[in-house]
């Protein structure tokens, strides 16, 4: 029996993995990375609508937020694989992929309208920053100075605060590569935004190329952040350094159009350690880094998500821990998950 497998290199040393039996989709943060970085240097800009390497690209105004135009970008391959984005939050809106019979179905959770994206509170597909996950007590120290940031999750800072990168309207450029198309998003976070010190220049790049069979294709992502130490030609020194931990917050369900729970999925992650959580109402890491061996968090050889959810327990039961990856210098597959379709 054939299977559908989605895999990529893990882009961060820590991955937040919230999974709940009450919430069918799976969220894999920082899952996708591209091996050629930055990929946008390999191509040139496309007009608003064009076809390259069997992948069509279009960009249109989708609406406005606080007086700023928000664009929607759609990529579709001749094999039926499709991906959509929006400049609001540099968000991955949709991934349309084929099953073993070539039927094209949605494999992420997505919003259909810009109003739904803006009103949503689950970060569907958005770019999260400056720091994904929780900063305990919404404060940290830099060179002995205590920095307080926006507390939006009880006493803690979650995903950069109430107005994190997911709430920003990003600049964008659509481009083509030698074998596909892509889009580059850019956002300049000023010193003091959300309480974070220092200015930060951020780039998120997605590229898509066609596959060889019906419904197949490839999606690659690169995330970059550059700390800006000087402003106005070096006349003004910015505060810093600043913490940065970017992620993409897509929720995946490979059964297609959410026909089944992710409990049926198998997850493989080359992560040999995890971060335990305390027992507060809003659970946060204890600061320990523990081995996954012998725990429900051991996905190094592939494991059932349903079994992991049951093993972790809780109310509601689920996995909401960071996992720490093993180095991937051997070029092997770093992460992936599959479901029988």
């Amino acid at each position: 029996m054939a299977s559908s497998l989605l895999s990529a290199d893990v882009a961060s040393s820590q991955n937040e993995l919230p999974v709940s039996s009450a919430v069918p989709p799976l969220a894999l943060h920082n899952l996708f990375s591209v091996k050629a970085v930055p990929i946008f240097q390999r191509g040139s800009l496309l007009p608003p609508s064009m076809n390259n390497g069997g992948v069509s690209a279009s960009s249109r105004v989708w609406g406005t937020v606080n007086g700023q135009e928000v664009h929607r970008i759609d990529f579709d391959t001749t094999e039926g694989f499709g991906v959509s984005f929006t400049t609001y939050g540099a968000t991955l809106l949709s991934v349309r992929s084929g099953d073993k019979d070539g039927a094209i179905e949605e494999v992420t959770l997505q919003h259909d309208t810009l109003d739904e994206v803006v009103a949503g509170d689950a970060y569907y597909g958005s770019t999260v920053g400056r720091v994904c996950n929780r900063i305990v007590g919404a404060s940290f120290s830099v060179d002995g100075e205590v920095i307080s940031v926006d507390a939006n999750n009880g006493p803690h800072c979650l995903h950069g605060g109430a107005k994190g990168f997911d709430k920003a309207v990003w600049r964008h450029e659509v481009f083509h590569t030698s074998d596909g198309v892509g889009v580059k998003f850019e956002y300049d976070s000023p010193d003091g935004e959300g309480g974070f010190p220092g200015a930060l220049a951020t780039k998120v790049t997605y590229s898509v190329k066609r596959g060889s069979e019906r419904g197949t294709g490839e999606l690659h992502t690169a995330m970059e952040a550059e700390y800006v130490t000087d402003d106005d030609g070096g006349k003004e020194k910015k505060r810093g350094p600043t913490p940065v931990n970017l992620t993409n917050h897509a929720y995946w369900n490979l059964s297609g159009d959410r026909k089944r729970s992710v409990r049926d999925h198998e997850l493989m992650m080359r992560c040999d350690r995890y971060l335990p959580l305390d027992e507060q109402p809003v659970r946060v890491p204890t600061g320990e880094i523990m081995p996954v061996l012998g725990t429900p968090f051991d996905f190094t050889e592939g494991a059932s998500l349903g079994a992991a959810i049951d093993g972790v327990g809780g109310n509601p039961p689920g996995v909401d821990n960071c996992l720490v990856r093993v180095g991937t210098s051997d070029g092997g597959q770093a992460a992936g998950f599959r479901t029988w379709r």
Side-chain angles (χ1 to χ4, degrees):
M1 189 174 186
S3 67
S4 174
L5 174 65
L6 189 61
S7 65
D9 294 340
V10 177
S12 172
S13 61
Q14 296 182 355
N15 289 284
E16 184 186 359
L17 181 62
V19 180
S20 170
S21 60
V23 182
L26 165 68
L28 276 178
H29 297 176
N30 291 351
L31 177 63
F32 294 108
S33 69
V34 67
K35 295 179 180 178
V37 179
I39 55 176
F40 56 85
Q41 290 183 344
R42 291 165 32 197
S44 57
L45 299 184
L46 285 173
S49 181
M50 181 174 280
N51 185 291
N52 188 71
V55 187
S56 65
S58 64
S59 176
R60 60 184 173 87
V61 176
W62 204 26
T64 60
V65 174
N66 297 326
Q68 293 180 278
E69 284 189 347
V70 174
H71 286 75
R72 177 182 174 121
I73 302 97
D74 296 289
F75 297 155
D76 290 282
T77 73
T78 53
E79 286 74 29
F81 180 78
V83 185
S84 299
F85 312 90
T86 179
T87 54
Y88 185 80
T91 297
L92 173 64
L93 285 174
S94 168
V95 178
R96 303 168 295 281
S97 181
D99 65 8
K100 65 181 184 298
D101 298 318
I104 309 299
E105 294 177 311
E106 179 63 47
V107 293
T108 69
L109 290 191
Q110 84 287 354
H111 293 299
D112 295 324
T113 68
L114 177 57
D115 287 343
E116 290 177 351
V117 174
V118 174
D121 60 2
Y123 302 90
Y124 286 2
S126 62
T127 297
V128 171
R130 290 185 188 189
V131 177
C132 73
N133 212 330
R134 295 174 179 89
I135 298 176
V136 178
S139 66
F140 53 89
S141 297
V142 174
D143 296 331
E145 178 187 1
V146 176
I147 305 294
S148 296
V149 292
D150 184 22
N152 63 322
N153 188 231
H156 312 300
C157 177
L158 174 65
H159 294 337
K163 294 184 178 180
F165 289 3
D166 61 295
K167 300 295 191 297
V169 178
W170 295 54
R171 303 186 304 277
H172 82 291
E173 292 177 340
V174 177
F175 61 90
H176 71 77
T177 65
S178 60
D179 53 5
V181 298
V183 59
K184 177 180 67 173
F185 295 103
E186 294 183 288
Y187 177 65
D188 298 324
S189 177
D191 177 29
E193 183 175 53
F196 289 92
L200 198 71
T202 309
K203 298 177 184 178
V204 176
T205 307
Y206 295 94
S207 67
V208 172
K209 66 178 182 179
R210 62 187 296 191
S212 59
E213 299 177 0
R214 169 72 176 167
T216 63
E218 295 184 19
L219 168 65
H220 297 271
T221 303
M223 292 183 170
E224 304 174 62
E226 181 180 3
Y227 177 62
V228 181
T229 57
D230 296 285
D231 189 39
D232 193 20
K235 296 179 181 179
E236 180 183 350
K237 186 72 174 178
K238 293 291 187 181
R239 292 188 301 149
T242 189
V244 179
N245 189 22
L246 304 176
T247 193
N248 175 275
H249 208 288
Y251 290 79
W252 302 89
N253 187 319
L254 297 188
S255 67
D257 294 335
R258 298 179 63 186
K259 291 192 297 292
R260 296 190 304 275
S261 166
V262 295
R263 294 179 63 91
D264 299 325
H265 288 37
E266 293 181 11
L267 173 67
M268 188 281 290
M269 297 186 72
R270 297 180 67 184
C271 298
D272 61 353
R273 292 163 293 161
Y274 77 101
L275 306 187
L277 303 178
D278 64 17
E279 297 301 327
Q280 298 183 53
V282 179
R283 304 186 69 193
V284 295
T286 63
E288 300 173 283
I289 302 178
M290 302 295 290
V292 300
L293 186 64
T295 76
F297 305 103
D298 189 354
F299 299 102
T300 53
E301 300 297 329
S304 161
L305 278 174
I309 291 170
D310 293 339
V312 173
N315 185 25
V319 179
D320 195 19
N321 299 66
C322 290
L323 282 85
V324 184
R325 74 168 183 172
V326 179
T328 56
S329 59
D330 61 355
Q333 179 176 300
F337 55 103
R338 75 170 71 233
T339 182
W340 300 105
R341 293 177 61 185

